[in-house]
Amino acid sequence: MTLTVVGSIAFDAVETPAGSRDRLLGGSAVHFAIASSYLADTRVVGPVGDDFGEEEYAVLERRGVLTDDIEHVPGGKTFFWAGRYHRDINQRDTIQTDLNVFEDFQPKLSEASRDAEVLFLANIQPDLQREVREQCRAARFVAMDSMNLWIDIAHPALIRTIGLVDCLILNDGELKQLTDEPNLIRAARKALELGPRVVIAKQGEYGSAMITRDGYFGLSAYPTPDIVEPTGAGDTFAGGVMGHLAAQGGDVDDAALRRAMAYGTALASFNVEGFGSERLYELDRAEIDARVAELERMTRF
Amino acid sequence: MTLTVVGSIAFDAVETPAGSRDRLLGGSAVHFAIASSYLADTRVVGPVGDDFGEEEYAVLERRGVLTDDIEHVPGGKTFFWAGRYHRDINQRDTIQTDLNVFEDFQPKLSEASRDAEVLFLANIQPDLQREVREQCRAARFVAMDSMNLWIDIAHPALIRTIGLVDCLILNDGELKQLTDEPNLIRAARKALELGPRVVIAKQGEYGSAMITRDGYFGLSAYPTPDIVEPTGAGDTFAGGVMGHLAAQGGDVDDAALRRAMAYGTALASFNVEGFGSERLYELDRAEIDARVAELERMTRF
């Protein structure tokens, strides 16, 4: 099935204990698509400026990502984010955020994008997510991300959008903040009452958990001693999840969702091993499958 | 095989969002033994004062715990701890700690205790842990806990003791602190270099992870929406781990350790459902086995 992702396309500048980079290809839609491209044909919807050139398109196209719906805003600059990671790489500070062309982004979906059967609404303003959701009438499975900013300043809009998706994928802290409930299971159940049938909590270095009305699945993270730069790990995880579900084609049942999370976990573990998504530029499918199999052995008792 | 635990016996006073209690039977050795008693004969070594009476002995003896090595200090008072849990039950403040008879505790092991084949050194001063370890010459598998206090004020003694055990069981934060290494896998590998062949990181609401020289096992926590009072969850986890290993009798291999962690997780999940260890007073073995089986279904993909 076809997979469309709507989200940010960015340049990131990062400082980490392992070194620094001043211009990494990033953004939620990019991290997502680089990952999902290993599993399913992926179309990216998002805006870029004049500084987004052939080199960047080439990275995506080498991965088979469909770039027709990347919107070039003449005279604009691409979204820019700069951050500094601590020695404990789970901690970071944002140094700079320039929205640039992302500030006035109004998603324009081509017919091909609107026909997506599997849709991921990466972290953008929730009213925009809702407009995209409503345009994609053929979508059979829709998931979304969000962030603390929208929980704070656009709560009613966010709640409305959550009511229109099948699956909510959030950090566990965001899920607790959204529902004002410090216990993850209770928080997830409150989120299920808003409409989705699946809630996936991303738990960073600990792994992830899926909560449905009648089930629970907990998956440890893949153990990674050498974390270079973790920006985009959550979007990469989502890309693995949605890519697997799109590839599955059929019903999105409990078993498919579990295996999808394993793919998300494996791909995210590659993501953090390099700067940006660079570690994912030249993987082959067998390496990914091998890591999923390894994860299975590492979590079975 | 026989299992001996050396640690604290205490009265706890707790305030939680679900209510408060001013005199709960607690302490690391008690939480451990109440749990392990479902799986193996357990002997407790630790000091109590005059306020520790027949009622408390009866609780332990109803669970089949061997109490001969509980040392009554005439004129003394039992260790007392008071704490307050936040709305987010993962956060707590200590209000009061009265060491009482625990302050001058010098473990005196009976012949039966010294003959233990499986030994758990709960969180006490590391030189005392080492003395106990050295007395138990028949021990085939020895594990230990510790805490941030000893990492801070008795670091060399702690390192020496770690060098004498088979398995180190710590919170993940403590493991990172001990080794001054913010990445869990690297921290665990540093801890393995100190001597143990197994390191188990307790990760609270997220679960636990086992790191050995050639392997990794990650286990999600059992999802618990109704946490009443979590004091002793870590000791209960250790009790399940060591109880299962003692019951196994044979070699402590990777498969046995994995299943042991599942028993620890299941028992800890009962522990947090009530005040103190009360939820564990009247379980039956079938309920525990059922929760282990449920955990297996919840973590398999």
Side-chain angles (χ1 to χ4, degrees):
Chain A
M1 290 198 285
T2 54
L3 170 59
T4 292
V5 55
V6 181
S8 62
I9 299 169
F11 288 115
D12 293 339
V14 295
E15 296 174 35
T16 79
S20 63
R21 295 289 192 90
D22 57 11
R23 195 174 191 265
L24 287 164
L25 179 57
S28 57
V30 168
H31 287 292
F32 179 99
I34 295 282
S36 65
S37 66
Y38 282 97
L39 306 167
D41 288 340
T42 306
R43 185 175 290 275
V44 170
V45 180
V48 298
D50 293 341
D51 51 348
F52 195 89
E54 284 184 26
E55 198 183 327
E56 286 76 32
Y57 278 105
V59 168
L60 293 169
E61 283 158 8
R62 272 199 299 273
R63 285 291 331 119
V65 174
L66 303 165
T67 59
D68 315 342
D69 288 282
I70 293 182
E71 182 191 352
H72 172 227
V73 180
K77 279 186 71 182
T78 301
F79 182 28
F80 175 78
W81 177 83
R84 185 184 294 121
Y85 285 90
H86 296 209
R87 180 163 177 260
D88 175 359
I89 203 102
N90 301 300
Q91 307 290 326
R92 76 175 185 196
D93 302 314
T94 289
I95 297 170
Q96 192 175 335
T97 305
D98 299 335
L99 291 176
N100 297 331
V101 297
F102 203 61
E103 188 157 12
D104 297 313
F105 176 47
Q106 289 290 337
K108 294 173 197 67
L109 276 67
S110 67
E111 199 164 329
S113 286
R114 282 197 303 271
D115 283 348
E117 289 164 296
V118 178
L119 174 66
F120 187 67
L121 306 166
N123 169 35
I124 58 175
Q125 206 280 340
D127 286 315
L128 295 185
Q129 289 178 312
R130 195 175 74 247
E131 285 169 29
V132 172
R133 170 67 192 95
E134 286 168 349
Q135 284 180 56
C136 294
R137 297 179 178 276
R140 292 175 55 183
F141 191 80
V142 181
M144 67 180 282
D145 188 12
S146 191
M147 74 183 292
N148 53 1
L149 174 70
W150 309 124
I151 298 172
D152 285 335
I153 70 168
H155 200 270
L158 179 57
I159 299 295
R160 272 199 302 279
T161 304
I162 292 172
L164 300 175
V165 302
D166 302 286
C167 175
L168 177 65
I169 304 180
L170 286 182
N171 293 332
D172 64 335
E174 293 165 347
L175 198 56
K176 292 171 178 179
Q177 185 192 347
L178 172 72
T179 56
D180 189 27
E181 172 53 67
N183 176 285
L184 176 67
I185 309 306
R186 297 172 86 90
R189 287 181 183 168
K190 277 194 182 180
L192 289 171
E193 287 170 15
L194 300 174
R197 66 181 180 88
V198 181
V199 169
I200 295 176
K202 296 178 286 187
Q203 301 168 312
E205 64 169 322
Y206 297 109
S208 55
M210 171 173 69
I211 302 93
T212 57
R213 281 180 189 79
D214 53 7
Y216 178 86
F217 173 59
L219 181 61
S220 291
Y222 181 87
T224 307
D226 300 304
I227 299 182
V228 174
E229 197 267 311
T231 311
D235 296 305
T236 305
F237 172 82
V241 170
M242 300 299 281
H244 179 76
L245 294 177
Q248 283 289 102
D251 295 326
V252 175
D253 60 12
D254 185 65
L257 285 160
R258 288 176 181 226
R259 188 150 288 269
M261 285 169 63
Y263 273 97
T265 300
L267 284 159
S269 76
F270 285 115
N271 173 270
V272 303
E273 290 175 2
F275 281 97
S277 283
E278 288 177 358
R279 182 73 177 86
L280 278 82
Y281 290 176
E282 307 287 349
L283 289 177
D284 63 46
R285 177 63 192 261
E287 290 176 274
I288 300 167
D289 289 342
R291 195 162 280 193
V292 169
E294 204 183 349
L295 187 65
E296 192 174 359
R297 289 191 298 276
M298 286 175 163
T299 56
R300 179 162 284 204
F301 69 87
Chain B
M1 291 198 284
T2 56
L3 170 59
T4 291
V5 55
V6 181
S8 63
I9 300 169
F11 289 115
D12 292 338
V14 295
E15 296 174 35
T16 79
S20 62
R21 294 292 192 88
D22 57 11
R23 194 175 192 266
L24 287 165
L25 179 56
S28 57
V30 169
H31 285 292
F32 178 99
I34 296 281
S36 64
S37 66
Y38 282 96
L39 306 166
D41 288 340
T42 306
R43 185 174 292 275
V44 170
V45 180
V48 299
D50 293 342
D51 51 347
F52 195 88
E54 284 184 27
E55 198 183 326
E56 287 74 32
Y57 279 104
V59 167
L60 294 168
E61 283 159 7
R62 271 199 300 273
R63 284 290 333 122
V65 175
L66 303 164
T67 59
D68 312 345
D69 287 283
I70 291 181
E71 182 192 353
H72 171 225
V73 181
K77 278 186 72 180
T78 301
F79 181 28
F80 175 78
W81 178 82
R84 184 184 296 122
Y85 286 90
H86 295 208
R87 177 161 180 263
D88 175 359
I89 205 101
N90 301 300
Q91 306 291 326
R92 77 177 185 194
D93 302 314
T94 288
I95 297 170
Q96 193 175 334
T97 305
D98 299 337
L99 291 175
N100 296 331
V101 297
F102 203 61
E103 187 155 14
D104 298 314
F105 176 48
Q106 289 290 335
K108 296 172 196 67
L109 275 67
S110 67
E111 198 164 329
S113 287
R114 282 196 303 271
D115 284 349
E117 291 164 295
V118 178
L119 173 66
F120 186 68
L121 306 167
N123 169 35
I124 59 175
Q125 206 281 340
D127 287 315
L128 296 184
Q129 290 179 312
R130 194 175 76 247
E131 287 170 27
V132 172
R133 169 67 193 96
E134 286 167 349
Q135 285 179 55
C136 293
R137 297 177 179 277
R140 292 175 53 183
F141 192 80
V142 182
M144 69 180 282
D145 188 13
S146 192
M147 72 184 294
N148 52 0
L149 174 70
W150 309 124
I151 298 172
D152 285 335
I153 71 169
H155 200 269
L158 179 58
I159 300 295
R160 274 200 301 279
T161 304
I162 292 172
L164 301 175
V165 303
D166 303 285
C167 175
L168 177 64
I169 304 180
L170 285 182
N171 295 332
D172 64 336
E174 292 165 349
L175 197 57
K176 292 171 178 179
Q177 186 192 347
L178 171 71
T179 55
D180 188 27
E181 173 51 69
N183 176 284
L184 177 68
I185 308 306
R186 295 172 88 88
R189 288 181 183 168
K190 278 194 180 181
L192 290 170
E193 287 171 14
L194 301 174
R197 65 181 179 89
V198 181
V199 170
I200 295 176
K202 298 177 283 186
Q203 300 168 312
E205 63 168 322
Y206 297 109
S208 55
M210 171 172 69
I211 301 92
T212 57
R213 278 178 192 81
D214 53 6
Y216 178 85
F217 173 59
L219 181 61
S220 291
Y222 180 88
T224 306
D226 301 304
I227 299 181
V228 173
E229 196 266 312
T231 310
D235 297 305
T236 305
F237 172 82
V241 170
M242 300 298 281
H244 179 75
L245 295 176
Q248 284 289 102
D251 296 327
V252 175
D253 60 11
D254 184 64
L257 284 161
R258 289 177 181 225
R259 187 151 289 271
M261 285 170 64
Y263 273 97
T265 300
L267 284 157
S269 75
F270 285 116
N271 174 271
V272 302
E273 290 175 2
F275 280 97
S277 283
E278 289 178 357
R279 180 75 178 85
L280 278 82
Y281 290 175
E282 306 288 351
L283 289 177
D284 63 46
R285 176 63 193 262
E287 289 176 275
I288 299 167
D289 289 342
R291 196 161 280 193
V292 169
E294 204 182 349
L295 186 64
E296 194 174 357
R297 290 191 298 274
M298 286 173 164
T299 55
R300 180 162 283 206
F301 68 88

